[in-house]
Structure formats: C-alpha cells, structure tokens
Amino acid sequence: MEATNAAARTATTVCVTGAGGFVGSWLVHRLLAAGRYKVHATVRDPGGAKNAHLAAMSGAAERLRLFGADILDGGAVAAAVAGCDGVFHVACPVPDYALADPEAEMLAPAVKGTMNVMKACSEAKVKRVVVVSSLSAVLENPAWPEGKAMDESCWSDVEVCRTTENWYCLSKTLAELEAWDYAKRTGLDMVTLCPSLVIGPLLQSTVNASSGVLVDFLKGDRLVKMKLRNFVDVRDVADALLLVYETPEASGRYICNSHPRHVSAVVKLLKSWYPEYKYATKFVHVSDEPSFNSKKLQALGWKCKPLEDTLKDSVESFRKNWYCLSKTLAEQEAFDYAKRTGLDVVSVCPSLVIGPLLQSTVNASSSVIVDCLKGDREVKLKLRNFVDVRDVADALLLVYETPEASGRYICDAYARQVSDVVEMLKCWYPTYKHATKFVQVSDEPLFSSKKLEALGWKFRPFEETLREASNPSGHQVSWIEQAAPCPVCPSF
C-alpha cells in the first residue's frame, strides 16, 4: 500500500477529455496501467452508470479523478486541466441525430470545444497537448496525386467538404486547423493523431459510432457500404497517443492506420468464425477509401495488432454482453427516430426486475431468485441492483401521465449483495436446498434514480419485494421446481 501511495505522489498528472468514450476509456486504462500517471478525466456525468467502468479500473482509486465537464464549457475544462503536465484531447461533440443546421450543431461546437481545451492548456502551462483528429481531416483531397498513399502533409479540402456536405470531415478538419493555428501563435507544444476507423473491444457500456459499423456487419437489417475501408485497433490508438506524448522529438501530425481491407473480406472472415449470426444482406457499392501512410508513426516504434485479432476481440466483447448491446442499440435507434420525427419518446431503464408473478411462466429476471432457492445452479456473487415489478409498472404510468417527463429515467430501488439475499432466503425458507455453487464476479455499479423520484416515484422495501417474489406457497411451488436457466441472457 505504501508503494502504491508513493507512486501516486510522484506520478505525472495528465488530463483526458472525453474519457468515458471508446478511445478515451482505453487511453485512461493504458495511463493507469503504466503506473506513472495520475489522470484527470472529463466526463459529462461523473456519477452516471455509463462511466462506472472508469472507476472500476485498476489504479483508479488512487490515481483517477473524474471531472464533470462539457468541452463547450470553458470554465469546466479549465478546472480539469489545471495542475496537469499534459493533456489528451479526445472528446468531440458529434450529434447523434439528423442535422438541421450543421454550422451551429456540429461545426461551431467542434471548433469551440477544441479551442476551449487549447486555451485551458495555455493557461495551465501544460508541457504538451495531444489532439485526436481523424483521417477525415486528411482524405477529402481531390488534388492529391492518384495512387499515392496519403501522408501527414495531406489535408481535406474545406470547400470540397462543404460542397459535398461532408460535415464530419469538415468539423474535424476545421477543428484541427484552428488548433494548429493557435499552437503556432502561442508556442503551445501540440501533436495531433489522425486515426482511421477505430474498432476493437469495448470498455464502455454504450456502443460508439465506429463500433456500430462492425455491428452492422453482424446484423441482417442494416444497409452496409461495400468498399475498401481502413481500420485500426482502439488499443493501438491508445498506445499511439501515449507514444507521441512521451517521445520528446514527436511533432506535427501522425496518421494512425493499420489495415486497409475490403468490407466483403471482413464479412467473409466474420462468417467463418461466427456462422450463427444473420449478417448483412443489404449492400450498396461506393467508392473505395484512399490508402494512407503510417510510416512516420511507425518510425517512433508504433506497432499494430493483426486485423484478425482485432475483429475477434471486438465480436467477443459484444458477445460477452449481447443483451446489453441489443438494448443499447434499440434505445439509441428509438431516440434517433424521435429526434428526426418529433415523436414524444420517454424511456425507462429498470435494473433487475423481481417480484410476484402474474403470468404462468418464469421470466429471466425472476429466475435469479429461483437460482438462489435451488441447490443445483451456479450463482454469481456480486452486488446487484433490484427493483420491484410493481414499482416498474408504477414508473411507466407515471412518466406517461406526467407532461414534463422527458428523456431517460433510471428505475432502480436497491443494491444488495447476492450473498445477503441468499442468507435472507435461508432464514425465511430453511426447507429449501438453496444455492451451494458460487462464483465471485465484479460488482454492478451503483445507479441514481433521483430523476424518477423527482416526479414522485416511490418503491417498496426490499424485504417485501423479495419475500413476495420467493414465497413458495400455492401455485408458485411449481415454477420454483420447474424453472430452468435462461438460455439467452448469460448475465442472469
């Protein structure tokens, strides 16, 4: 413990913006694993469930501090950057809905957010700032010699981006150009990294846009663009960011691309490994992406993983919690549709729902309690979140009937250790076998239902819910005896 505290005292302090995202999460993971960094991590909601994976990382308790900061809030950004030796600017405000006004909704925020970070770096006198740009700031250049691999000297043509309404490319290009202009005027030591399409295993609980491209290959209901694409592993991007930060002679821009591969070849590989998925059947042929040169980054010692490893690790990370992925994608699609059409949508996100049954069959969440009552099932020992099914029904009616209800509502009532639940059941029902096979797994994060409670939502005591969910009287005896493990919900 003393050695750990000593390391924390001597560690270099760096700030990571957008730390809860795909690239940001892996960068924080790498920084903490290195053992020589204290990390100021900016996220929009430090207490939110979507950022719980950061606090769970090894070394986080001693060397990670979360800051609630939107990069469009200059003061909040400055507070996170204060006292830091270096900054990694990963965050990028990208709307997840159809743009009515691209200038106001994407271009201005991208530039303003980057400039807020740059100014905060100057004020804090950081030694180096590393900005995550994109190959999108490189590839839209019709004047580049045909057949020549694009390198760091190539920039996307701003007017071409405007004409073709390629707003993402334009936003990344303008943000990087403004950053370089500021760095040259102020003498700020800045390096930029321009990765291609970033894929790889997820650390965060939500599906980011680039990972969504791979998910589309695995599903049969999405239109997939057939072309030569450039890919890079998220872990290799994190390594590249750390490399250019720690290498004194690193300067300028660095293209970070590892594998050009045709989409048809990627789908074929995935089918050979995972034949059970539906896979995309709707395709549209579009122009191939250009080729890129990562030799400048490789000259610093950067290496990349084989694409096959990246693809397998990506899918395996999806498979570990396919249920979470399916729920996330469905909710994201629903809100995207609502924003485009003006449909009034509210979502309720309950934890593990338990309570008395009205139906004659045993649902997946109720089987968690059944497993605790039976001696032939392996039970996962961890902190779990529960909510009574009747309280969920009340919450659904409440958000429907409350005119001002909007957005998402977490619906969670209790956090209890499964071991405590088993002991309570043993006390109440000593004649049952009860679980004897256990496996210790990571605790679930804690959730806040304050937004729902502010509408007037209340929930029953946990003991009442558990007793009525498990009461082995009357017809419930049969379902306790007959219930089988859920075959499609491994998290249960």
Side-chain angles (χ1 to χ4, degrees):
M1 178 62 73
E2 181 58 35
T4 300
N5 292 336
R9 287 194 296 271
T10 59
T12 298
T13 303
V14 296
C15 178
V16 178
T17 69
F22 187 36
V23 173
S25 294
W26 273 106
L27 177 57
V28 171
H29 180 274
R30 289 291 200 253
L31 290 165
L32 293 175
R36 56 187 178 272
Y37 292 101
K38 288 191 289 187
V39 182
H40 288 188
T42 76
V43 294
R44 293 195 176 187
D45 180 11
K50 68 177 293 185
N51 296 311
H53 65 289
L54 297 174
M57 291 180 181
S58 178
E62 303 81 18
R63 292 181 286 110
L64 176 66
R65 182 181 174 190
L66 299 184
F67 286 78
D70 186 322
I71 60 169
L72 299 182
D73 182 344
V77 172
V81 171
C84 290
D85 301 291
V87 171
F88 296 88
H89 177 40
V90 184
C92 178
V94 180
D96 57 356
Y97 54 87
L99 300 175
D101 184 352
E103 186 71 42
E105 296 173 69
M106 179 175 280
L107 305 183
V111 173
K112 181 183 178 182
T114 298
M115 293 311 297
N116 282 342
V117 173
M118 299 296 286
K119 290 173 183 176
C121 289
S122 289
E123 293 169 5
K125 295 181 171 54
V126 304
K127 296 174 182 177
R128 172 168 286 182
V129 55
V130 180
V131 175
V132 178
S133 183
S134 169
L135 280 189
S136 295
V138 177
L139 60 82
E140 289 293 339
N141 190 335
W144 189 259
E146 188 176 351
K148 180 182 177 182
M150 291 180 167
D151 60 26
E152 287 78 7
S153 66
C154 184
W155 284 86
S156 288
D157 187 303
V158 169
E159 292 310 314
V160 169
C161 291
R162 286 191 185 278
T163 302
T164 58
E165 298 186 350
N166 194 333
W167 306 120
Y168 180 74
C169 285
L170 183 57
S171 70
K172 297 300 286 187
T173 304
L174 291 175
E176 189 183 354
L177 285 170
E178 288 288 336
W180 278 117
D181 179 65
Y182 183 88
K184 289 170 183 174
R185 285 189 285 108
T186 62
L188 184 64
D189 182 0
M190 186 182 83
V191 178
T192 63
L193 192 77
C194 302
S196 53
L197 186 75
V198 185
I199 59 174
L202 305 178
L203 290 180
Q204 81 282 7
S205 59
T206 56
V207 182
N208 57 294
S210 59
S211 295
V213 171
L214 200 55
V215 172
D216 287 350
F217 296 169
L218 294 164
K219 300 185 71 175
D221 58 348
R222 307 288 176 84
L223 183 69
V224 170
K225 294 178 180 178
M226 276 293 191
K227 62 176 177 178
L228 183 74
R229 294 203 77 141
N230 293 277
F231 300 91
V232 65
D233 191 298
V234 64
R235 296 162 293 188
D236 295 334
V237 175
D239 290 342
L241 290 168
L242 194 55
L243 178 64
V244 299
Y245 175 75
E246 293 183 335
T247 305
E249 60 269 25
S251 63
R253 309 173 85 198
Y254 286 88
I255 286 176
C256 183
N257 179 51
S258 52
H259 307 290
R261 199 67 62 89
H262 201 278
V263 167
S264 60
V266 173
V267 172
K268 185 177 180 181
L269 270 175
L270 293 171
K271 283 183 176 180
S272 70
W273 298 328
Y274 307 105
E276 67 271 24
Y277 291 108
K278 289 182 178 179
Y279 290 96
T281 56
K282 297 179 283 186
F283 303 100
V284 56
H285 288 272
V286 297
S287 300
D288 290 342
E289 292 180 0
S291 58
F292 298 92
N293 185 337
S294 295
K295 290 181 179 178
K296 183 182 177 186
L297 184 59
Q298 290 166 347
L300 297 183
W302 182 69
K303 293 179 173 60
C304 57
K305 294 171 177 59
L307 178 63
E308 290 75 12
D309 289 355
T310 299
L311 290 172
K312 284 183 178 179
D313 290 348
S314 299
V315 177
E316 288 303 322
S317 79
F318 300 155
R319 284 161 64 94
K320 282 180 182 177
N321 214 334
W322 205 244
Y323 177 76
C324 287
L325 181 61
S326 67
K327 297 298 285 186
T328 302
L329 289 173
E331 188 180 357
Q332 287 176 341
E333 288 287 336
F335 273 112
D336 178 63
Y337 183 85
K339 287 172 183 176
R340 286 188 282 108
T341 62
L343 185 65
D344 185 0
V345 170
V346 177
S347 69
V348 173
C349 303
S351 53
L352 187 74
V353 184
I354 61 173
L357 302 181
L358 292 180
Q359 80 280 11
S360 59
T361 56
V362 181
N363 59 294
S365 59
S366 295
S367 70
V368 172
I369 304 301
V370 174
D371 289 350
C372 294
L373 288 165
K374 302 187 69 175
D376 60 347
R377 308 283 174 82
E378 184 176 77
V379 171
K380 295 177 180 178
L381 288 183
K382 62 177 177 178
L383 184 74
R384 293 206 76 142
N385 295 278
F386 299 91
V387 64
D388 191 296
V389 63
R390 296 162 293 186
D391 296 332
V392 175
D394 290 343
L396 292 168
L397 192 58
L398 178 64
V399 299
Y400 174 75
E401 292 183 337
T402 305
E404 61 269 24
S406 64
R408 311 174 79 198
Y409 287 88
I410 288 176
C411 183
D412 177 52
Y414 341 92
R416 293 288 190 279
Q417 287 288 345
V418 170
S419 57
D420 293 338
V421 173
V422 172
E423 289 305 313
M424 291 173 72
L425 292 172
K426 283 182 179 179
C427 179
W428 294 337
Y429 311 114
T431 58
Y432 275 80
K433 291 181 180 179
H434 297 283
T436 57
K437 295 181 285 186
F438 302 101
V439 56
Q440 192 72 46
V441 297
S442 300
D443 289 343
E444 293 181 359
L446 298 176
F447 300 93
S448 171
S449 296
K450 288 182 179 178
K451 183 181 176 185
L452 184 59
E453 290 171 11
L455 297 183
W457 181 68
K458 293 179 173 61
F459 52 87
R460 291 164 175 77
F462 177 68
E463 291 73 13
E464 178 184 331
T465 297
L466 184 61
R467 189 181 288 273
E468 295 185 20
S470 57
N471 181 13
S473 61
H475 73 281
Q476 290 183 316
V477 172
S478 61
W479 64 255
I480 291 175
E481 296 299 334
Q482 296 171 11
C486 175
V488 295
C489 300
S491 61
F492 293 150

